[in-house]
Amino acid sequence: RVTHWLVSLIWCRSVYSLNASDRCDFVRSNPDCRSDSGYLDYLEGILCHFSPSLLPLVVTLYVLWLLYLFLVLGVTAAKFFCPNLSAIAATLKLSHNVAVSFSRGPLPAGRALVAFSDPRTASLAIGALFGAGVLVTTVVAGGIAILHPFVAASRPFLRDVAFYMTAVFLTFTALYLGRVTLAWALACLGLYVFYVLTVVLCTWIYRWQCRRSLVHSMPGTPELLSDSEEDPMSSNTSSYDYGDEYRPLFSYQESTVQILAQALNPLDYRRWRNQSVSWRVFKVLKLPVEFLLLLTVPVVDPDKDDRNWKRPLNCLHLVISPLVVVLTLQSGAYGVYEIGGLLPVWAVVVISGTGLASVTFFATSNREPPRLHWLFAFLGFLTSALWINAAATEVVNILRSLGVVFQLSNTVLGLTLLAWGNSIGDAFSDFTLARQGYPRMAFSACFGGIIFNMLVGVGLGCLLQMVRGSPEVKLEPDGLLDWVLASALGLSLAFSLVAVPLQCFQLSKAYGFCLLLFYVAFLVVALLTEFGVIHLGIM
């Protein structure tokens, strides 16, 4: 998706070479100026619904909406995505690191797969993967260390970096040779299968060592703790349940209507009275988002006695959450598709969800959760992930429109807007995990998720193109800048591979700031290369 709009942006920027009176017709008639995803056409709004004299006002409104979308991303990640992910890991007895790494792969890898299945966008997609990789391994990883310094799990870190560097080397060789062969595509897929088997084997060995240490030695062996894939911080000390202070001595049975009203209320009046004015203003801004998410996203909390079971609201979720899923996939394109020419998909989902919700309502009680309540964690995880993806799509479309307005070059867009658009959703989730006391989980996602994107997205995408009759996929490097991208990603991984063990795996704020400085230096070198200040004499 993001790669496609960058290709379209190359042609759509010519709109500003026309007279102001012709720009609207050009945008509406030119398919390159239309976005394939998202719900609002921001570029048409600028050029067709406002006069050129109001451009500063329109840009200001877009920036304010952009900031509000960041708020949506933060609330969704903090209160819905991360709790459900933790519940899934607890239910399946998975390492939190493994769960969050694998959960990040499908959507970005799907974008890479689509890009590489089209020969027109294959070479550009590699640049996008390198750019996003540099951003995640420096800005996101560094931000996690700054927000919450922690001790990294040694063996999982070394394993992920080693596999990531191997994946980068494979992609670098394909870029150098200018083509992708069948053997190369199969090697990528095989390497990821080997990575998954290695992760499973390492997790099994660690748990076997833990059981053995409990039998043959004192509990709490520090040597094992340093290699653990689990984050020792299991609770968020910054979030305090104010309801505990006001809990009645004698419990009473709430009605179904009361449970529903309380579950849909995002505002705690007792906490409201004790907060500052700035907190209240920020809370008012978040109220519409929180109410919408409470209505559409179920949350399973393993730390509560009732696991956050709200019978009337959870039954509503069985209708509303699947509806949100089909209306956010491809911006609702799948939801309006008619099955057999009779009913659209969204109507079938509503009918099926209503039947399931009715059965659940009459087969359960308000007092205790059902045995299959853990399935709501998967539904909530999927719905919150798609909300994040939908908000990130709107962010990318706004940035795309601003790129046309300000006439940014293709390279600058690729290094900044494209990379940021590919990574913004995951970055918000990782920063939220770090603030909630799970920095290891977030740090692991910086490497595991991108390994999936690079190996499966690229390998399977190229394989699909070959199945359609193409013997190999051609890649055309775009000058020196592609090598700057590839070298920066390799150097960032090599820096972490050396710096983290030298710190005895204790990641501090200084390490985080060094990564941020590395990204700034990378941007400076890339921009100087783009403008011809840095060049090769033979080129």
Side-chain angles (χ1 to χ4, degrees):
R1 181 196 69 211
V2 181
T3 304
H4 175 75
W5 71 249
L6 184 59
V7 176
S8 301
L9 193 58
I10 296 173
W11 303 103
C12 192
R13 286 189 317 177
S14 60
V15 65
Y16 272 89
S17 63
L18 305 175
N19 295 327
S21 58
D22 299 328
R23 292 172 185 172
C24 180
D25 294 335
F26 178 85
V27 169
R28 287 177 172 174
S29 61
N30 192 343
D32 290 328
C33 295
R34 292 195 297 267
S35 176
D36 293 337
S37 57
Y39 299 94
L40 299 176
D41 194 331
Y42 299 97
L43 187 58
E44 182 179 340
I46 293 176
L47 298 177
C48 297
H49 301 291
F50 296 92
S51 64
S53 61
L54 294 178
L55 181 61
L57 174 62
V58 178
V59 171
T60 302
L61 293 176
Y62 279 14
V63 171
L64 292 177
W65 175 233
L66 185 67
L67 295 176
Y68 196 77
L69 288 173
F70 287 154
L71 178 64
V72 173
L73 288 168
V75 172
T76 308
K79 295 189 175 182
F80 298 89
F81 180 84
C82 295
N84 280 315
L85 180 62
S86 179
I88 290 174
T91 300
L92 299 181
K93 298 181 180 180
L94 293 175
S95 163
H96 284 83
N97 296 352
V98 175
V100 73
S101 296
F102 290 168
S103 68
R104 295 293 168 78
L107 288 176
R111 301 168 194 163
L113 190 150
V114 172
F116 276 92
S117 61
D118 188 342
R120 296 172 300 175
T121 58
S123 59
L124 185 61
I126 282 191
L129 285 174
F130 280 142
V134 175
L135 177 71
V136 171
T137 56
T138 55
V139 175
V140 179
I144 293 169
I146 293 172
L147 289 172
H148 196 297
F150 66 102
V151 179
S154 57
R155 285 182 290 186
F157 169 77
L158 296 175
R159 175 199 66 209
D160 290 346
V161 172
F163 273 96
Y164 196 3
M165 293 185 72
T166 305
V168 171
F169 177 76
L170 278 176
T171 311
F172 186 87
T173 56
L175 194 63
Y176 177 76
L177 297 175
R179 66 182 187 276
V180 173
T181 61
L182 177 62
W184 188 94
L186 294 177
C188 285
L189 297 177
L191 180 61
Y192 188 74
V193 172
F194 181 59
Y195 169 71
V196 173
L197 294 176
T198 304
V199 170
V200 173
L201 180 62
C202 290
T203 303
W204 181 85
I205 292 176
Y206 168 71
R207 290 176 177 173
W208 175 77
Q209 288 179 334
C210 287
R211 290 193 298 267
R212 184 180 179 185
S213 66
L214 291 176
V215 175
H216 298 287
S217 63
M218 297 296 293
T221 307
E223 290 79 5
L224 291 178
L225 180 62
S226 64
D227 289 335
S228 170
E229 295 206 18
E230 300 289 349
D231 198 308
M233 302 266 316
S234 60
S235 63
N236 180 16
T237 56
S238 62
S239 61
Y240 180 74
D241 186 4
Y242 284 81
D244 291 339
E245 296 182 356
Y246 301 94
R247 186 164 296 171
L249 294 177
F250 301 98
S251 61
Y252 64 95
Q253 186 69 29
E254 292 181 313
S255 65
T256 300
V257 176
Q258 289 176 325
I259 294 175
L260 179 61
Q262 182 180 0
L264 287 175
N265 183 16
L267 183 62
D268 189 337
Y269 298 104
R270 296 177 295 245
R271 189 180 182 187
W272 174 274
R273 294 195 300 263
N274 299 324
Q275 297 298 328
S276 62
V277 176
S278 60
W279 185 92
R280 294 181 184 183
V281 172
F282 190 62
K283 183 66 175 180
V284 169
L285 294 175
K286 293 194 299 182
L287 284 178
V289 179
E290 293 179 345
F291 175 79
L292 181 62
L293 292 173
L294 286 172
L295 184 62
T296 58
V297 182
V299 177
V300 177
D301 190 350
D303 296 330
K304 292 184 177 180
D305 294 336
D306 62 353
R307 299 176 63 86
N308 201 41
W309 165 249
K310 309 295 180 184
R311 179 180 170 224
L313 181 58
N314 286 142
C315 291
L316 280 178
H317 285 151
L318 293 176
V319 181
I320 299 176
S321 295
L323 181 62
V324 171
V325 170
V326 299
L327 292 180
T328 52
L329 282 173
Q330 290 296 316
S331 303
Y334 295 148
V336 298
Y337 177 78
E338 292 186 353
I339 300 178
L342 299 175
L343 288 176
V345 173
W346 69 264
V348 175
V349 169
V350 170
I351 295 172
S352 303
T354 302
L356 183 60
S358 301
V359 172
T360 304
F361 184 83
F362 291 107
T364 58
S365 65
N366 293 332
R367 295 184 178 180
E368 58 183 65
R371 289 186 299 175
L372 297 180
H373 181 229
W374 54 272
L375 290 175
F376 282 89
F378 290 88
L379 180 60
F381 171 79
L382 176 62
T383 310
S384 59
L386 288 175
W387 271 123
I388 291 175
N389 186 62
T393 300
E394 297 302 313
V395 169
V396 170
N397 288 337
I398 294 175
L399 296 176
R400 170 185 182 271
S401 302
L402 296 179
V404 172
V405 171
F406 293 110
Q407 293 288 283
L408 299 179
S409 70
N410 303 332
T411 304
V412 173
L413 287 171
L415 292 175
T416 56
L417 305 188
L418 179 59
W420 300 341
N422 274 329
S423 309
I424 187 172
D426 292 345
F428 267 90
S429 301
D430 291 337
F431 291 154
T432 301
L433 285 171
R435 285 196 302 267
Q436 292 184 346
Y438 297 95
R440 285 189 179 184
M441 192 192 310
F443 192 75
S444 177
C446 294
F447 301 95
I450 300 185
I451 293 174
F452 185 92
N453 303 344
M454 188 166 290
L455 293 178
V456 177
V458 176
L460 189 57
C462 293
L463 191 62
L464 288 177
Q465 191 178 146
M466 295 174 190
V467 170
R468 294 171 184 171
S470 177
E472 58 184 20
V473 179
K474 296 292 185 180
L475 301 177
E476 297 181 2
D478 189 19
L480 179 61
L481 189 60
D482 280 346
W483 307 115
V484 172
L485 278 169
S487 301
L489 180 56
L491 286 175
S492 69
L493 293 173
F495 173 76
S496 293
L497 184 61
V498 174
V500 173
L502 287 179
Q503 301 175 85
C504 298
F505 297 93
Q506 296 182 3
L507 304 188
S508 61
K509 292 184 178 181
Y511 167 75
F513 283 115
C514 287
L515 289 179
L516 295 182
L517 290 175
F518 181 93
Y519 186 73
V520 172
F522 155 71
L523 279 183
V524 171
V525 172
L527 293 176
L528 292 178
T529 303
E530 163 65 9
F531 296 128
V533 178
I534 298 178
H535 57 85
L536 295 179
I538 60 174
M539 295 185 63

